[in-house]
Amino acid sequence: MIIPETEPPRIPSSSKQPTIEPLNVEDSALTPQTETQLKMQLQQAILLGEVTNEIRQSLDTTTIFQIAVDKVQTLLQVDRVAIFQFDPATNYKQGVFVAEQVIPVYYSAVAARVQDDSFGENYATKYQLGRVFAVADVYDAGLSDCHLQIYERFQVRATLVVPLLQGEKLWGLLCIHQCSRPRAWKSVEIDFIKKLADQLSVALKQAELHEQALEKSQQLQNALNQVEAQKEREIWLAQYERNITQIIQNIHQNLDIEDIFKATTRDIRQFLRCDRVAVYTYSPEETGELFLESSNAHLTPLAEGKGASLWLDVYLNAAPDNARDCIPLVTDIDQQHHAHGHLVFLAQFQIRAYMLVPVFIGDRFWGLLVTCQQTSHQWDDIEQSLLRRVGDQLGVALQQAELMHQLQMSKDKAESANRAKSAFLANMSHELRTPLNAILGFSQLLNRDQNLTPKQKQTLTSINRSGSHLLNLINDVLEMSKIEAGQVSLNVKNCDLINLLDSIQEMFLLKVESKGLTLMVDKALDLPPYIRTDESRLRQVLINVLTNALKFTEQGSVALKVYTQKLLSPDLIPTPDDDPVAEENQPNIYLCIDVEDTGVGISESEMGNLFETFTQASAGRNSSEGAGLGLAICQHCIELMGGNILIDSKEEQGTTVQIQVPVMATQAKSVDHLDVPMVLSLAPGHPHIRMLVVEDNPENAQIVIDLMTSVGFEVQSVVNGQQAVACWQTWHPHVILMDWQMPIMNGYDATQTIRTLEHQTVSDSNTEVSPDVIIGSSVKSPLNNTIIIALTASVFEDTKQECYEAGCDDFLRKPYQQSVLFEVLAQHLNIQYLYDECPQDINTLHTSSSQNMHQGNIEYQLSQLPKQWLVKLHQAAIELDEEQMSQQFVEITSDYPYLATNLTKLFQNLQFDQIVNLAQAALQIKNH
């Protein structure tokens, strides 16, 4: 509170906090001074605990303040401990002591008002930032006369003042006074008082929040009182709304028109307390009939009379022009000028009062909703409103019924077309993927030959890559079908970006050379080697875009440029709620891909249709290549990944495709992909394993036979499911590779038959399985459960589910990699292999990129940042501005990820002093 105009030495507030040095009690015996210091530390800790506990249990700041001053006065043995509160209306110029503990011989400061005109202008901001004011003797501190007068007023000789904050606002001061004599304040005392002030600041903030909650509660209570005051006035409207809501809800919960009208007429009669409710329907020729009615049991049913024409006459006479808005109603038929025939009819059915509401389907008149009473009745506005709204809802229900009928017809047609399409896609998939499986399978078999020359291995690699590319082209049509059905999703994982770009460049090399073109690939120097994204989608996009560029370029070059940009919006891809793993894997950069060619280009009139399926520009139609799906699939994939694609082209001037995809730059040790070593044979000591290959295609069967025999399996082969069942019964294979589409008996029926026979075998035998069929502890018994792995060329997900439902243990889709087959067999048979070699694990690479940086490295990297940025960080850390620090860490995440990670750790651990020191050291390095 009391600030000298000439400032004495004080305790710094941020960078070097006073600490209590630990005592080494092992090296020397406890001296009286040491024992006193330890007792003081213990008492301080106890006091802090008591104050903290009181804050947690109470919202009464008066009690908390009094406890604090009492305990501190006793602990520090000072003459006065007081809490001073500023008057917020005086801009820190005035205030009053609100709590105190003082030795009786000295004046009490409680309720004493103090004024200091210079405090708000010169010192309030400093105290708000954590300033501590410690003076051993006020007469030796160079204080102004006015300040000395204030001190003398309260008999103060030595003082220690620390700020009390309420949130970020300076609320008051915690004042420690020694009145009897000068006193040099120890650092341990100052540190203790600062910690106590922090706890009292928590109590102030807690009290403020409590007051706000009470104020909000009072506001809510006032609003509730207003609602209660209106409740009686609106209760009958509420009842009406409940009635109409119930009727409308019942209408919407049913799709059967007759049930809807039955329930509606019943509910109206109940809610309006009518004697009769009827529905009439009319044709365009104005002939009508009773649709249904709900009436009291003692009344004559309307079906026995011909009232349709009567009600239509009444309605048309009442509403010749505004037919839709008019509601004809009669309170007493004796007061109306009805025709004699009408009166006879109404009397026959005991109708004295009635009300009509028209029912429209869109703009077409459908019928009338009639309510009747046996006695005179005054129809009020609420009854009219209810009936009108019900009539409108019945019209909506009728319209929905018509639309549902039309939709059902359209659905039947669509399902029929979809079944035909699915059958076509299934057949096409099987017919194309089956020979492709043979091509890829034999190329992988040949690649196992140790006598191949490097040139031959390279050729086989090209065959395998081209086959995989052909498989991707086959999948384009199937992919488009999935996209249209909304069944495409992302499979995000870590991938090797450099290897991906290199493999694609190699894939197109032969095509480029054959056309006499140049393929230029420009990879930015700062391109991250590893990223987290959907690798297959990214590969598909790159292949499709480059294929288009090469297809329409006859001379010149195709340039592929890959670089990154900062990601301004880190929340482009949605994540599941409360999923910290998903949040950690959020994109942090844009992967930018530019493909520029010198080809024929695209006319301006055709630019708008580029992304439509099965649509090609004139150059595409002239080339007679492709089906017009490439760009459509690219657009869907890129949008699914949260990116965008732009195409700029002019006819005869080439085309430029620009792609932006948000990805996460990741570390080498987290990349999922590892080189897969080649399996040479089963590990020594394994028993013989019998494998049955069920495959009607001889090429595909031969691939598996050659591969499995070379590794050490005993293999037999059959061509259909019926032979598979017979072989299983006689040969007892441990594992069956079951093709799904075969003649005579398919894989589904064969699998179910084998599972049924297994179950019968186990059920019929109450003894243990014969030792001659137990192969060993490491391989499962075929009589208990033969491992059946389904092999199919189908790409439909329901096929996979079908395989599991039939009893298969696993599922592989043709064509598959040999390594995948070996992995599945090892998993289900508990077997091990000998490998050709064990490639270096990628996790062991790039060990220099550890996230745990040394302090010197952090200081050096910080010094590379702009000076203005460092000054802002230094000031934010001093002021404990968490929002500013967080924002600055985000700014450097993409360029300095490890630096940002280490600074964030310090931030999360509240080590702001270290951040201050690091920023200061970096500024010194930068200045030198």
Side-chain angles (χ1 to χ4, degrees), residues 93 100 156 225 313 320 331 424 525 545 573 642 686 712 732 773 913:
K93 293 182 179 180
E100 177 192 51
V156 178
N225 293 338
D313 289 343
T331 59
F424 166 75
L525 295 177
V545 174
I573 297 181
H686 268 299
H732 302 305
V773 296
D913 55 337

Side-chain angles (χ1 to χ4, degrees), residues 740 748 796-808 811 813:
W740 215 238
Y748 183 91
F796 297 104
E797 288 300 319
D798 54 356
T799 304
K800 183 176 182 179
Q801 183 63 31
E802 181 183 86
C803 293
Y804 286 121
E805 290 176 355
C808 293
F811 172 91
R813 184 172 281 124

Side-chain angles (χ1 to χ4, degrees), residues 632-919:
I633 292 175
C634 284
Q635 185 187 44
H636 281 287
C637 292
I638 292 170
E639 289 179 350
L640 189 65
M641 291 189 287
N644 58 75
I645 177 172
L646 297 175
I647 297 181
D648 182 27
S649 180
K650 292 184 179 179
E651 201 166 4
E652 303 301 333
Q653 295 185 24
T655 302
T656 300
V657 180
Q658 294 180 314
I659 298 170
Q660 268 192 340
V661 178
V663 301
M664 176 185 178
T666 186
Q667 306 304 315
K669 65 180 181 180
S670 62
V671 173
D672 298 334
H673 171 72
L674 297 175
D675 292 332
V676 180
M678 181 186 295
V679 174
L680 292 179
S681 66
L682 292 170
H686 268 299
H688 294 294
I689 301 176
R690 296 188 290 274
M691 173 183 290
L692 176 61
V693 178
V694 187
E695 172 66 69
D696 63 325
N697 184 283
E699 290 82 5
N700 288 341
Q702 192 60 46
I703 292 172
V704 180
I705 293 171
D706 291 349
L707 176 64
M708 295 294 107
T709 304
S710 67
V711 173
F713 287 82
E714 295 182 19
V715 184
Q716 287 193 20
S717 175
V718 296
V719 297
N720 60 58
Q722 191 176 77
Q723 294 180 6
V725 174
C727 185
W728 177 86
Q729 291 176 308
T730 58
W731 193 49
H732 302 305
H734 302 99
V735 60
I736 300 176
L737 302 184
M738 181 75 73
D739 189 23
W740 215 238
Q741 297 184 18
M742 295 178 295
I744 303 177
M745 180 185 283
N746 59 29
Y748 183 91
D749 294 336
T751 301
Q752 278 201 324
T753 302
I754 291 174
R755 291 307 185 206
T756 301
L757 292 173
E758 282 181 338
H759 180 72
Q760 292 175 353
T761 301
V762 174
S763 299
D764 295 342
S765 176
N766 294 323
T767 60
E768 294 184 358
V769 180
S770 176
D772 59 340
V773 296
I774 294 191
I775 311 305
S777 60
S778 62
V779 181
K780 297 181 179 180
S781 168
L783 290 185
N784 287 334
N785 183 21
T786 302
I787 302 301
I788 301 179
I789 301 171
L791 303 179
T792 176
S794 171
V795 296
F796 297 104
E797 288 300 319
D798 54 356
T799 304
K800 183 176 182 179
Q801 183 63 31
E802 181 183 86
C803 293
Y804 286 121
E805 290 176 355
C808 293
D809 297 280
D810 219 319
F811 172 91
L812 287 178
R813 184 172 281 124
K814 300 176 185 177
Y816 50 83
Q817 293 293 326
Q818 294 177 3
S819 58
V820 177
L821 176 58
F822 283 128
E823 181 180 350
V824 170
L825 291 173
Q827 175 185 347
H828 290 287
L829 294 173
N830 192 25
I831 58 178
Q832 296 179 345
Y833 304 108
L834 290 181
Y835 296 94
D836 181 25
E837 59 182 0
C838 295
Q840 184 183 12
D841 189 332
I842 203 165
N843 293 339
T844 64
L845 302 178
H846 305 283
T847 55
S848 61
S849 57
S850 170
Q851 294 191 18
N852 297 320
M853 300 172 60
H854 296 295
Q855 180 173 344
N857 292 338
I858 297 177
E859 293 174 355
Y860 176 76
Q861 284 202 15
L862 277 173
S863 69
Q864 307 305 304
L865 296 171
K867 183 175 181 180
Q868 184 179 3
W869 190 94
L870 290 171
V871 172
K872 287 173 62 179
L873 177 63
H874 185 265
Q875 187 64 26
I878 291 177
E879 298 177 359
L880 306 183
D881 190 341
E882 299 181 2
E883 182 177 354
Q884 175 65 28
M885 285 188 282
S886 299
Q887 180 180 349
Q888 290 192 247
F889 297 161
V890 171
E891 292 174 359
I892 65 171
T893 299
S894 58
D895 296 329
Y896 301 89
Y898 302 132
L899 177 60
T901 299
N902 282 266
L903 291 175
T904 301
K905 287 181 179 178
L906 294 175
F907 174 81
Q908 292 173 344
N909 293 330
L910 305 180
Q911 296 174 293
F912 302 119
D913 55 337
Q914 292 194 32
I915 297 177
V916 171
N917 294 337
L918 289 169

Side-chain angles (χ1 to χ4, degrees), residues 600-633:
V600 297
I602 306 169
S603 66
E604 186 175 352
S605 61
E606 295 176 320
M607 289 291 291
N609 302 323
L610 288 179
F611 296 111
E612 294 185 8
T613 57
F614 299 105
T615 300
Q616 293 179 301
S618 58
R621 294 191 295 271
N622 295 334
S623 70
S624 300
E625 294 183 36
L629 292 175
L631 286 178
I633 292 175

Side-chain angles (χ1 to χ4, degrees), residues 511-561:
K511 176 92 172 169
V512 170
E513 292 176 351
S514 66
K515 296 188 70 172
L517 302 174
T518 302
L519 176 60
M520 297 178 290
V521 179
D522 179 12
K523 292 176 283 193
L525 295 177
D526 60 348
L527 195 66
Y530 306 101
I531 61 174
R532 186 169 183 82
T533 186
D534 189 325
E535 182 177 2
S536 63
R537 303 284 175 210
L538 182 60
R539 182 188 299 273
Q540 189 175 21
V541 168
L542 283 168
I543 291 175
N544 284 348
V545 174
L546 284 172
T547 298
N548 274 356
L550 291 171
K551 183 194 304 183
F552 303 121
T553 304
E554 297 300 329
Q555 58 183 1
S557 62
V558 173
L560 170 63
K561 182 180 179 181

Side-chain angles (χ1 to χ4, degrees), residues 390-442:
V390 171
D392 292 341
Q393 292 300 319
L394 290 175
V396 172
L398 289 165
Q399 189 173 30
Q400 287 178 340
E402 290 186 354
L403 291 175
M404 286 295 296
H405 179 66
Q406 296 173 6
L407 287 174
Q408 186 61 44
M409 294 178 61
S410 300
K411 180 183 177 183
D412 293 342
K413 292 181 180 179
E415 287 180 349
S416 177
N418 193 50
R419 284 192 295 270
K421 176 182 176 181
S422 297
F424 166 75
L425 291 176
N427 291 332
M428 183 186 73
S429 172
H430 187 269
E431 294 302 320
L432 292 177
R433 294 168 75 93
T434 297
L436 186 58
N437 181 62
I439 294 172
L440 294 176
F442 279 120

